[in-house]
């Protein structure tokens, strides 16, 4: 495993295609099947100049893997990490039960506990996927699937609330003094008159568009909240909680792995890193079509693989990778903008809405697609590796 502040020229292995591990983000999706039915990310097919390579150029340095200090055994590295995350899961669950009061008294604390619960679930699930070879495979696969289900159920309410807030704020910004068609640009002559007319039309439809979005997304959020409460009271959830409670004291390792050296962890961690580097190298170049929504799936895949790489980094090196935080945040913003744009487009397809409302939703969709491009640009700027991938 390489530290993210080191430049690396690497060649993907023959089996770098996405697997079936869970990432359990907002939708509890697997790496092989991204959320909302998106297709898995594609691997590079000999295009060494694609993605970030076109910007950074090949690195001339080749670095050796970074081994953990002391070369610990699998038992001394992976097991404590999983037990710690299991303890965080149980602690968050207890806090959630304590603060599951009405919103006016404990809703904020309950929401914070839910986020912490999902955070622990994601790390357990991701580690079970990456280091499956060092664990009891049947147990790891079963618990990973159940944690993906739980994280997905818990994430939806938060996702709908955040999407509504994002879209309402964007509508407010678009219908204000700034020109909606090209914010930051100065229009003159006929174009200024056209922009003024567009702004007037947007002002008329923005309020109705906001109300429509609020109805749709609030309904979805309410249903998600009910589904989350139902899930947390189900026998399925209690079985997951029991399994995590057992994990907090006993990690089922594969036979013969307890005394193996760090190589048993480095190999799967390196594999996770190679898959990430391959996915990033396969991303569409910076000058690709800005409204090509078919490219979104590849970016979602990179986000999922980046999370798996970050979790593997925590296990093997014993700490988070600060250099990966900014690019991870950029991919989170990318996901949010993509989903917000899709919500605006879906609302615009509502039957019998007024033309001004449809116009405002169309402008809102375009604005969020601009945000998608901004997030992609920020990712390229903050990506800490200089990656050059060639066909194997």
């Amino acid at each position: 495993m390489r530290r993210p502040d080191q430049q690396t020229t690497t060649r993907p292995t023959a089996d770098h295609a996405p697997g079936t591990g869970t990432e359990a983000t907002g939708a509890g999706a697997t790496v092989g099947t991204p959320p909302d039915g998106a297709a898995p990310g594609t691997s590079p097919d000999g295009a060494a100049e694609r993605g970030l390579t076109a910007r950074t150029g090949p690195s001339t340095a080749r670095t050796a893997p970074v081994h953990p200090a002391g070369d610990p055994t699998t038992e001394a590295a992976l097991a404590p990490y999983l037990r710690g995350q299991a303890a965080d899961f149980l602690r968050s669950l207890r806090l959630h039960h304590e603060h599951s009061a009405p919103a006016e008294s404990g809703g904020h604390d309950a929401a914070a506990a839910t986020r912490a619960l999902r955070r622990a679930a994601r790390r357990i699930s991701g580690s079970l996927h990456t280091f499956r070879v060092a664990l009891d495979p049947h147990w790891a696969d079963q618990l990973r699937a159940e944690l993906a289900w739980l994280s997905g159920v818990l994430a939806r309410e938060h996702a709908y609330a955040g999407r509504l807030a994002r879209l309402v704020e964007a509508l407010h910004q678009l219908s204000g003094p700034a020109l909606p068609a090209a914010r930051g640009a100065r229009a003159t002559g006929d174009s200024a008159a056209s922009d003024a007319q567009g702004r007037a039309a947007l002002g008329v439809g923005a309020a109705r568009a906001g109300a429509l979005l609020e109805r749709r997304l609030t309904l979805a959020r309410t249903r998600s909240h009910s589904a989350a409460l139902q899930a947390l009271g189900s026998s399925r959830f209690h079985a997951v909680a029991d399994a995590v409670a057992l994990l907090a004291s006993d990690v089922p390792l594969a036979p013969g792995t307890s005394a193996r050296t760090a190589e048993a962890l480095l190999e799967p961690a390196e594999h996770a890193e190679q898959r990430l580097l391959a996915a990033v190298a396969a991303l569409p170049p910076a000058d690709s079509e800005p409204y090509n929504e078919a490219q979104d799936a590849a970016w979602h895949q990179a986000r999922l693989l980046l999370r798996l790489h970050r979790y593997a980094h925590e296990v093997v090196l014993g700490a988070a990778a600060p250099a990966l935080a900014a690019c991870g945040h950029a991919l989170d913003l990318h996901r949010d903008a993509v989903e917000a744009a899709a919500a605006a487009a879906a609302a615009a397809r509502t039957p019998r809405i007024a033309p001004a409302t449809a116009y405002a939703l169309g402008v809102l969709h375009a604005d969020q697609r601009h945000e998608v491009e901004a997030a992609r640009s920020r990712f390229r700027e903050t990506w800490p590796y200089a990656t050059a991938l060639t066909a194997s």
Side-chain angles (χ1 to χ4, degrees), residues 150-178:
L150 176 62
S151 185
V153 170
L154 297 179
R156 293 188 188 105
E157 179 185 1
H158 173 74
Y160 283 123
R163 199 170 306 157
L164 176 59
R166 180 187 185 94
L167 289 170
V168 170
E169 174 62 21
L171 269 177
H172 175 74
Q173 295 293 332
L174 288 168
S175 59

Side-chain angles (χ1 to χ4, degrees), residues 173-344:
Q173 295 293 332
L174 288 168
S175 59
L179 297 179
R183 287 184 290 174
R186 184 178 301 277
T188 59
D190 293 341
S191 63
S194 175
D195 286 333
Q197 292 174 356
R199 186 168 65 244
L202 180 60
V204 171
R208 292 181 179 179
L212 176 59
L213 288 168
E214 186 167 2
R215 287 196 302 271
R216 290 171 61 92
L217 293 175
T218 299
L219 176 61
R221 180 186 179 185
T222 300
R223 289 174 175 170
S224 297
H225 178 72
S226 299
L229 291 178
Q230 183 177 4
L232 291 173
S234 67
S235 58
R236 182 178 183 181
F237 169 74
H238 289 298
V240 175
D242 289 344
V244 175
L246 291 175
L247 176 62
S249 59
D250 178 35
V251 178
L253 298 174
T257 61
S258 60
R260 291 173 62 185
T261 64
E263 182 181 358
L265 299 182
L266 284 172
E267 288 182 1
E270 287 281 354
H271 181 61
E273 183 182 61
Q274 289 293 321
R275 292 171 64 202
L276 170 63
L277 295 176
V280 171
L283 290 174
D287 58 355
S288 58
E289 300 177 57
Y291 288 96
N292 188 344
E293 298 179 7
Q295 297 175 353
D296 293 342
W299 288 88
H300 293 327
Q301 183 74 358
R303 176 178 173 273
L304 301 181
L305 292 174
L306 176 59
R307 282 200 162 182
L308 287 178
H309 174 56
R310 286 171 52 208
Y311 302 156
H313 191 287
E314 293 176 4
V315 171
V316 174
L317 298 181
L324 296 175
C327 55
H329 180 62
L331 291 179
D332 287 343
L333 292 177
H334 178 274
R335 185 270 319 270
D336 293 345
V338 166
E339 294 180 346

